Amino acid sequence: LSERRLEEAYSDLDRAIALSSSSPWARILRAVCLLAEGRFDQARPELAAAAKTKAARPAVLAVEAVGLGQSGQARAAVNLLSQESGPGWLLGLRGMLRRGADDLPGSLADLSAALAGERSAWIYSQRADVYNRSGFYKEALGDLEALAALMPASAEPHAHAANIYFDQAFYKEALEGMDKALKLEPKSSSLLARRARFLFVMNRLDEAQKDLDMAARLDPRNSQTRFERLMVLILRGKEKTAQAEIAAGALPEALGAY
């Protein structure tokens, strides 16, 4: 949220609290806005007031736990969510926070228990990441297949799977996954740049160049993409083209970082 939009949000929420001081939901939303600004200490009184309503307790716990996680206190967040039982999504949140606390076995246990109660897209996504971090890449790919079935219009499950295949040096499968992602989002500059990196490692520089050309057109302000594009030009023996573009100011800020 921009500063102006946050001010508008605070104004509306303050009015809602004034109209119904006993309702917890405006206070919870106000706490979320404060967290968006990194003001966790100021969010806590709002959450304490909202927690007086029993129905709001799971939401209060979730927001407070996220705040603790954002402030580098993942273990404290896990302990908070372990104090009482709650709905399955709260268990899934604890699993995510356990990952942040470097408790991968506990994270897998929580996320799996949450999925046993409900086939949730975001929990499949989180468990796939934890499986992959734990070295179980086949299980991670299985979760991403389930996620793709739940979200057939989303490119993310295919792109995520492509990254896992690429890390395992299954380059053919990685490209196939990225191709599926790009069919769903053909004008995604980030996906094009990612596929270009795959092609670069496979020494398919002409194809990498095409992807980077398109990515740079779609997002001309992305200095990383422009830098990679110039590097491929040079590796393809197109030094004069690269030098001419640099001289024309194609990449002044990115060159300073390398």
Side-chain angles (χ1 to χ4, degrees):
L1 290 173
S2 67
E3 184 176 345
R4 178 181 175 184
R5 301 301 289 179
L6 272 173
E7 289 177 359
E8 293 174 357
Y10 285 130
S11 177
D12 286 346
L13 291 169
D14 288 343
R15 288 175 59 199
I17 292 169
L19 289 169
S20 181
S21 60
S22 62
S23 174
W25 309 112
R27 292 190 181 277
I28 292 172
L29 289 173
R30 199 174 194 282
V32 170
C33 290
L34 289 165
L35 285 179
E37 294 188 286
R39 296 157 64 185
F40 181 47
D41 288 342
Q42 295 178 48
R44 275 184 145 168
E46 301 286 2
L47 294 171
K52 294 176 183 178
T53 302
K54 186 176 180 180
R57 181 68 177 165
V60 169
L61 283 174
V63 175
E64 187 170 359
V66 169
L68 286 168
Q70 287 179 347
S71 59
Q73 303 177 70
R75 292 189 184 278
V78 171
N79 291 337
L80 176 68
L81 294 179
S82 299
Q83 290 176 7
E84 56 185 271
S85 60
W89 61 265
L90 207 58
L91 187 60
L93 177 61
R94 191 177 71 176
M96 291 171 56
L97 290 163
R98 277 185 161 165
R99 177 186 58 190
D102 296 323
D103 178 11
L104 295 182
S107 179
L108 279 176
D110 278 353
L111 293 169
S112 296
L115 276 172
E118 179 184 359
R119 294 177 70 241
S120 166
W122 71 274
I123 297 179
Y124 269 123
S125 177
Q126 297 301 319
R127 192 174 70 169
D129 179 66
V130 176
Y131 266 138
N132 193 42
R133 292 187 189 203
S134 303
F136 304 120
Y137 79 89
K138 291 182 179 179
E139 288 80 357
L141 291 169
D143 273 358
L144 292 171
E145 284 185 19
L147 180 60
L150 288 173
M151 303 174 61
S154 174
E156 181 52 33
H158 304 292
H160 193 166
N163 286 337
I164 292 175
Y165 278 123
F166 186 78
D167 289 343
Q168 297 295 325
F170 296 132
Y171 299 137
K172 176 178 176 291
E173 291 82 357
L175 276 180
E176 289 173 351
M178 200 58 70
D179 289 344
K180 290 178 182 178
L182 278 162
K183 283 182 180 179
L184 292 166
E185 292 186 26
K187 293 187 178 180
S188 169
S189 60
S190 62
L191 291 178
L192 284 164
R194 223 185 302 179
R195 187 172 67 178
R197 293 180 195 120
F198 292 178
L199 292 165
F200 178 86
V201 170
M202 297 171 71
N203 201 33
R204 292 163 61 172
L205 299 183
D206 290 356
E207 295 167 84
Q209 181 76 59
K210 290 178 182 178
D211 277 354
L212 290 168
D213 286 347
M214 186 177 295
R217 286 196 297 271
L218 290 167
D219 186 9
R221 294 186 179 183
N222 190 316
S223 58
Q224 176 69 25
T225 296
R226 299 203 309 273
F227 178 81
E228 292 175 4
R229 179 178 170 277
L230 290 174
M231 289 297 296
V232 172
L233 276 171
I234 292 168
L235 289 170
R236 291 182 61 223
K238 307 288 185 179
E239 294 93 343
K240 291 184 178 179
T241 301
Q243 289 170 1
E245 293 191 14
I246 292 170
L251 202 60
E253 68 279 15
L255 286 177
Y258 290 89

